[in-house]
Amino acid sequence: MTESARRLDVVFAPDTVAHRGTAEEVVGRALDARGLTGEVTFAADTSDLQRAVRTAASRGEFVVVPGAGASFTAPARGAIRVDFGECEADRSDGIRAHIRGRGLDGLRFAVDSWYHHRFHPGTIVHYGDDPDQRAELRVPNDTGPFPVAVLIHGGYWRPRWEFDLMDGLAVDLTARGYVTWNVEYRRPADGRWAAMTSDVAAALQAAGSVPQADPGRVVILGHSAGGQLALRAAADAAAVADGAAVRPALAVSLAGVLNLRLADERRLGAGAVADAVGGHWADDRATYQRSSPLHRLPLGVPQLVACGEGDEPDLLEMSREYHAAAAEIPDDVTLIEGPGDHFAVIDPASEIWRRIAGAIDARVRPRTA
């Protein structure tokens, strides 16, 4: 592959960073980690920004930091927009991804997003009318039908975290022979909890209609807060009286928030649970009990619970608590622990992910003659 095919341009509008050298270091480390080259441009003024954008766009998709709240029209070849602070999502034409509210580290996420979509492109499919009701589909280069991996990202149910978090797993699982369905979902200010729950349920059912997918061999995987959403969706599908069209063969928690009462009482994620649900456990026990995987046991489908030994102690404790409770029922549950932090379980290069992937294969991959 030519060097130009691995080249990424990153363009900064005037006055968007406090220290240029630090921004260059962040971009440089991210490029090196992916074996990429690149050019960083700090525009001097609006005209200079326009020139830099035109030059970058002539080479393909690029990363742009236009400034918080700035309107920006990307050229036809597309851009990844980065805003360091929280702001409304930019869904304008030409913006393939908008990474916001992640500070300067958003540049690393932007480089990763460019890399995954440059070399392992997917297809965006909408499962509803809202712009956030979408999933990215990848299909193996082989003859189906294939088992299906439905991926639910985390981020404590907050809008600044999107499905780019699961790009690496989507690419890895596709290479392993799975149709991958990387799900985005709504998180509006009002009715947030109900919207998220219904979206994940709808996305799970929509995965069964994907061409070349085998709806009888679906695994749903959720990371962090996505673990709660994934296991709840599996429990809801299993509980449908007449049987859901798609009932997961396996539900996987990757460092999941599996006990919402505990997470609320300890104010994990700076009170993220109460912010998302709309109240504390003491105020709305019914919603918590319907939503908390621990309180839904037995789930009705086989489960795999994984957590890194270097993760936050509360999350590690929750995974162990959940496994012990499910095993005592007894329910069909497996626990995997290994070295690594909160993100090791979604890192395709990690030891713990390789063990998780092997356990998933043993459950849902077809046996060859």
Side-chain angles (χ1 to χ4, degrees):
M1 184 174 293
T2 64
E3 182 177 342
S4 62
R6 304 188 70 87
R7 174 198 170 101
L8 169 61
D9 288 277
V10 182
V11 179
F12 293 84
D15 303 318
T16 52
V17 296
H19 187 268
R20 291 184 179 185
T22 306
E24 288 176 320
E25 286 177 11
V26 173
V27 173
R29 286 195 297 268
L31 292 173
D32 289 345
R34 296 296 182 184
L36 304 174
T37 62
E39 181 174 325
V40 176
T41 301
F42 295 95
D45 52 35
T46 301
S47 297
D48 194 27
L49 174 64
Q50 293 173 344
R51 284 193 296 271
V53 164
R54 286 195 298 270
T55 300
S58 70
R59 301 184 181 116
E61 187 178 81
F62 62 102
V63 173
V64 62
V65 185
S71 60
F72 180 78
T73 302
R77 297 190 73 173
I80 301 169
R81 174 172 181 160
V82 177
D83 283 292
F84 302 131
E86 293 196 45
C87 60
E88 291 297 317
D90 185 346
R91 303 299 188 209
S92 58
D93 292 341
I95 301 295
R96 181 182 61 74
H98 185 190
I99 294 171
R100 62 200 193 279
R102 307 184 196 179
L104 205 62
D105 200 34
L107 295 168
R108 174 176 64 87
F109 287 101
V111 171
D112 284 351
S113 179
W114 185 92
Y115 170 82
H116 287 122
H117 289 264
R118 173 67 180 84
F119 299 107
H120 307 281
T123 301
I124 297 296
V125 179
H126 289 269
Y127 61 86
D129 295 331
D130 191 274
D132 282 337
Q133 292 175 308
R134 68 193 193 276
E136 187 160 31
L137 171 68
R138 289 180 172 89
V139 180
N141 294 321
D142 205 343
T143 303
F146 303 102
V148 186
V150 178
L151 303 172
I152 312 297
H153 72 82
Y156 273 128
W157 311 282
R158 288 178 171 134
R160 69 177 180 269
W161 299 103
E162 296 194 355
F163 62 171
D164 63 286
L165 292 174
M166 304 296 272
D167 280 347
L169 284 199
V171 170
D172 184 78
L173 284 164
T174 304
R176 292 175 183 270
Y178 293 80
V179 165
T180 56
W181 186 245
N182 190 9
V183 176
E184 191 52 88
Y185 47 87
R186 291 173 295 168
R187 282 148 295 159
D190 298 318
R192 180 186 303 176
W193 200 249
M196 288 190 293
T197 298
S198 63
D199 281 1
V200 174
L204 172 61
Q205 296 305 310
S209 62
V210 171
Q212 300 189 60
D214 181 353
R217 292 185 290 138
V218 174
V219 53
I220 184 167
L221 305 89
H223 176 238
S224 195
Q228 175 271 320
L229 291 167
L231 267 61
R232 178 186 176 162
D236 287 347
V240 174
D242 296 329
V246 175
R247 175 173 169 163
L250 181 66
V252 181
S253 167
L254 303 168
V257 184
L258 302 180
N259 182 342
L260 290 186
R261 176 180 180 176
L262 189 74
D264 175 52
E265 291 177 342
R266 296 182 183 179
R267 303 299 191 261
L268 299 189
V273 183
D275 287 346
V277 175
H280 294 291
W281 160 267
D283 304 319
D284 191 358
R285 294 190 180 192
T287 298
Y288 272 77
Q289 289 173 338
R290 285 194 303 271
S291 306
S292 177
L294 180 72
H295 295 88
R296 291 294 299 272
L297 289 171
L299 230 59
V301 300
Q303 303 129 62
L304 172 61
V305 178
C307 198
E309 293 164 344
D311 205 335
E312 296 178 27
D314 297 293
L315 294 175
L316 182 58
E317 180 189 32
M318 264 190 256
S319 291
R320 291 170 173 174
E321 175 198 28
Y322 181 90
H323 173 259
E328 187 176 351
I329 287 175
D331 211 350
D332 185 348
V333 61
T334 301
L335 176 66
I336 293 179
E337 294 182 12
D341 60 13
H342 188 58
F343 294 96
V345 291
I346 59 169
D347 178 0
S350 72
E351 173 191 327
I352 192 171
W353 168 249
R354 289 192 291 271
R355 291 173 56 200
I356 295 165
I360 294 171
D361 284 345
R363 282 280 188 177
V364 301
R365 284 296 302 274
R367 291 185 175 86
T368 57

